[in-house]
Amino acid sequence: MASEPDAEILEAELVIPDLPELVQRYPASLPTPKLHARWIEDEGVSLAFIEIGDIAMHVETTDDDLAWHLHVGGHDGPPLDGTPWDGKTTEALLLWMEEFAGKVHACLEMIDEDIFDAIDLFEAGATSAPLSASGFDPDDWASFKKKDFLVFRVAAPGQAEPQIWTGKGDAWHLHDDERDGDAELLWAPPGSDDPTHLGAVIISPETGLPATFANPGISWNDVGMTEDDAMDWLLREHRNCVWASTIHDAVTEQVLNMLAGFSVPIISPYR
């Protein structure tokens, strides 16, 4: 994430497994890639996204296998048969990619959990998130050395809006995987696990801006909050989620650049 004048700098401390440096080298003839990755918890799959100019490489790695494909014109562009590079460059890139993706897969699950823990602190107003021993077995924690604790810094785009649900029962938002950015507000009365859909925040395809819509037939007295206040709460929740996702992606990108050898590790000052 590019730094902005007077932007708040957030520091996430992470433990990175002791993995060897990459042996294979990224082809010097290609532009430096933009890197991102995602951990799919239910499937034990790591997804690496390697953007090389206008070519996007998607790599899916499991404990037993690795598969990849290319898109042209960005990650959402049409698939590309073959590669646009000469044979020597392609061979070098694939050797580097396989080693890099394996390194990412080996540590992404643990790193992803720690990044989300750091974001919880950031949302509460902290600017640094030192790692806590509480989530580790004492023997594992004792085995870490100072050099294992690395700090990754990103510039925050604004800040989260801490808030508390002041109605009755419990409320939460649920994102629609098929409609990127849209989310529904679900509510359950005290003592019940049966949720009611109160409304939604929908991203306008024309403007890209969010708008809220309350569902008809809701008894807002039962909810314990007015319709306007509930929709305002949902909008702030949505903004917080977008903010947290941006921070998560930025920290992940910093980690991947370090794993790829494109940046130098920063030893944590908190140990």
Side-chain angles (χ1 to χ4, degrees), residues 6-54:
D6 302 322
E8 190 82 71
I9 302 299
L10 305 180
E11 293 186 340
E13 181 187 69
L14 305 173
V15 166
I16 307 297
D18 187 14
L19 299 172
E21 293 185 6
L22 296 181
V23 174
Q24 303 297 330
R25 297 301 176 191
Y26 180 81
S29 60
L30 297 180
T32 302
K34 184 174 182 179
L35 305 173
H36 185 56
R38 182 183 304 164
W39 174 253
I40 309 299
E41 178 69 34
D42 295 342
E43 302 174 24
V45 172
S46 62
L47 302 176
F49 305 93
I50 304 170
E51 191 172 337
I52 307 169
D54 67 343

Side-chain angles (χ1 to χ4, degrees), residues 23 27 34 79 88 118 175 178 180 209 224 229 233 239 255 262:
V23 174
K34 184 174 182 179
K88 183 178 180 180
H175 280 270
E178 296 182 359
D180 187 30
L209 298 176
D229 286 345
W233 186 91
R239 288 172 178 161
V255 173
F262 298 146

Side-chain angles (χ1 to χ4, degrees), residues 17 19 37-40 43-48 59-66 97-111 256 259:
L19 299 172
R38 182 183 304 164
W39 174 253
I40 309 299
E43 302 174 24
V45 172
S46 62
L47 302 176
V59 187
E60 181 175 308
T61 308
T62 68
D63 291 342
D64 304 312
D65 196 16
L66 179 149
M97 176 272 290
E98 290 179 3
E99 190 178 6
F100 170 69
K103 193 172 182 178
V104 171
H105 185 73
C107 62
L108 186 59
E109 179 179 13
M110 183 177 75
I111 291 171
L256 297 179
L259 292 177

Side-chain angles (χ1 to χ4, degrees), residues 1-11 127 153-159 243 247:
M1 182 188 303
S3 180
E4 301 174 3
D6 302 322
E8 190 82 71
I9 302 299
L10 305 180
E11 293 186 340
T127 57
R153 299 186 175 105
V154 298
Q159 59 187 13
W243 183 89
I247 298 297

Side-chain angles (χ1 to χ4, degrees), residues 121-270:
L121 292 177
F122 296 153
E123 287 185 307
T127 57
S128 64
L131 202 60
S132 169
S134 61
F136 291 83
D137 178 274
D139 291 338
D140 290 339
W141 183 260
S143 70
F144 294 137
K145 301 177 176 61
K146 178 178 172 59
K147 67 179 181 62
D148 297 325
F149 296 90
L150 303 181
V151 162
F152 300 88
R153 299 186 175 105
V154 298
Q159 59 187 13
E161 303 174 81
Q163 60 176 334
I164 299 174
W165 174 256
T166 57
K168 301 173 184 177
D170 295 313
W172 64 98
H173 71 281
L174 181 67
H175 280 270
D176 189 325
D177 293 335
E178 296 182 359
R179 300 201 308 268
D180 187 30
D182 296 353
E184 291 188 81
L185 174 58
L186 277 66
W187 169 80
S192 173
D193 295 327
D194 187 22
T196 297
H197 293 248
L198 300 183
V201 57
I202 297 175
I203 305 301
S204 167
E206 289 80 19
T207 66
L209 298 176
T212 57
F213 300 89
N215 289 338
I218 301 296
S219 174
W220 296 103
N221 285 334
D222 292 343
V223 175
M225 185 180 283
T226 67
E227 175 182 324
D228 288 344
D229 286 345
M231 292 301 99
D232 186 57
W233 186 91
L234 174 59
L235 187 58
R236 293 198 305 272
E237 274 288 288
H238 173 266
R239 288 172 178 161
N240 283 354
C241 188
V242 172
W243 183 89
S245 178
T246 301
I247 298 297
H248 177 275
D249 289 353
V251 175
T252 301
E253 184 176 341
Q254 293 286 330
V255 173
L256 297 179
N257 281 331
M258 188 274 298
L259 292 177
F262 298 146
S263 64
V264 178
I266 301 175
I267 304 298
S268 171
Y270 304 113

